[in-house]
Amino acid sequence: ASHHWPTWGKDNIRAFLVNQRDTYRFLHDRALNLANQGMVMEEIGNEPFFPKALAADASSRGYYGTLSHNLRAVYNFYLGYYDANPATLDPLPVAESSQRYVKAMGGIDAVLKQARTAFDAGDYRWAAVLGNHAVMAEPGNEAARMQQAATLEQMGYQAESGVWRNAYLTGAQELRQGTK
């Protein structure tokens, strides 16, 4: 199997293929069903439901791709990245918008305080959003870089997907040591 252990035996291979077929069918149909209900890519990517029978099969778990990643990919394939919200049609560049967010939130110290509070509460996704704005607004700010590195490291430790784990841990390493 791609990105997974090999499967031996006719019955096991047949069960594997059935589960793979059902997994891909579920991902495809679920993403389009949610899109047809008016959900956008980011909302669909937060959809937690996965059928128990498929989740129980190790080959259908998110060790490589994740439910979030794959649902968003199906949405993007059919509908593209644009979510039909005019406010997101022509966004500011990341660094510029981050500088404005940080300023609007009361400055870098206020943002880092909120990021630390979220981190301490185990709210790593929110801590990562805040930390990303802090780092993008002030790339040379050591405190921002270390806070974001700690957050990404925790997210990496919790990631089931090897690809996501590697992205988080590599991001943390680069924030701490640079890219040289």
Side-chain angles (χ1 to χ4, degrees):
S2 65
H3 313 295
H4 209 276
W5 293 102
T7 302
W8 291 277
K10 183 172 76 171
D11 292 339
N12 291 334
I13 292 169
R14 185 174 313 239
F16 167 80
L17 291 173
V18 165
N19 282 338
Q20 289 296 290
R21 176 202 64 201
D22 292 348
T23 297
Y24 289 116
R25 171 55 63 103
F26 169 79
L27 291 167
H28 176 270
D29 291 354
R30 185 69 174 157
L32 293 182
N33 177 267
L34 294 171
N36 284 328
Q37 293 178 40
M39 292 177 74
V40 296
M41 187 165 50
E42 294 306 315
E43 294 169 320
I44 290 171
N46 284 290
E47 176 64 24
F49 175 74
F50 194 61
K52 288 181 183 178
L54 294 175
D57 179 18
S59 69
S60 293
R61 299 285 305 170
Y63 301 124
Y64 185 74
T66 67
L67 180 62
S68 173
H69 194 104
N70 293 330
L71 288 170
R72 287 183 287 160
V74 172
Y75 178 99
N76 189 45
F77 177 78
Y78 286 103
L79 301 170
Y81 69 92
Y82 177 54
D83 62 4
N85 178 347
T88 65
L89 184 57
D90 188 22
L92 292 169
V94 174
E96 184 178 346
S97 67
S98 290
Q99 290 166 358
R100 292 181 185 200
Y101 277 117
V102 167
K103 182 178 178 183
M105 294 176 72
I108 194 76
D109 292 335
V111 173
L112 290 177
K113 181 178 179 185
Q114 289 187 42
R116 280 196 263 329
T117 299
F119 179 89
D120 291 343
D123 190 0
Y124 301 120
R125 289 174 73 190
W126 179 236
V129 169
L130 294 169
N132 188 59
H133 283 308
V135 170
M136 291 296 171
E138 294 186 19
N141 186 309
E142 187 73 13
R145 295 171 65 81
M146 294 306 106
Q147 177 62 46
Q148 184 69 338
T151 300
L152 295 178
E153 187 173 63
Q154 288 303 311
M155 294 173 82
Y157 292 155
Q158 294 178 6
E160 181 177 45
S161 165
V163 173
W164 282 30
R165 182 175 42 257
N166 291 343
Y168 290 134
L169 296 178
T170 299
Q173 181 181 20
E174 289 178 355
L175 284 163
R176 289 185 176 120
Q177 300 173 5
T179 57
K180 296 179 183 178

